[in-house]
Each structure stands twice: as C-alpha cells, then as structure tokens.
C-alpha cells in the first residue's frame, strides 16, 4: 500500500515540477513536449495500478 502512496506523491511532484518549469520558461515548444511526456507517464501510471489491482490475489 505504501508503494502506491509514494508513487502517487512522486507523480504529483513530477507534474508540479513540469508545471513550474513550463510557466517559468514560457516556450510553446516546451509545453508540447511536457504535455506529451506527462501524458505517457500518467498513462503508464494508471495502467500499472490497474494491472496490480486486477492481478492481486489478496
């Protein structure tokens, strides 16, 4: 259970950092790259939790 909490906190920290970086730099190219990378990261994050939930035998 603690791994899910730490993973969620870490993902929120990455999103917050990317938000601060994109606002600080204010470059549209960086926005596009950030949105794509965060989208891939969040998609992987959600898929991993769904697999763990359906694969749990406890």
């Amino acid at each position: 259970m603690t791994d899910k909490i730490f993973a969620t906190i870490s993902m929120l920290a990455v999103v917050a950092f990317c938000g601060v970086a994109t606002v600080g730099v204010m470059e549209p190219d960086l926005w596009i790259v950030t949105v794509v990378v965060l989208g891939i990261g969040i998609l992987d994050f959600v898929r991993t939790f769904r697999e763990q939930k359906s694969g749990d035998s406890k």
Side-chain angles (χ1 to χ4, degrees):
M1 182 64 180
T2 57
D3 58 337
K4 291 181 181 181
I5 294 170
F6 285 132
T8 304
I9 292 170
S10 298
M11 183 56 72
L12 291 173
V14 168
V15 170
F17 172 75
C18 288
V20 169
T22 55
V23 169
V25 175
M26 295 299 274
E27 285 290 329
D29 294 340
L30 180 64
W31 299 343
I32 294 168
V33 171
T34 302
V35 167
V36 169
V37 169
L38 284 177
I40 292 170
I42 291 171
L43 181 66
D44 181 57
F45 180 77
V46 170
R47 283 185 178 176
T48 301
F49 276 141
R50 285 187 182 164
E51 288 175 8
Q52 285 180 354
K53 185 178 179 183
S54 65
D56 264 346
S57 61
K58 295 180 181 178

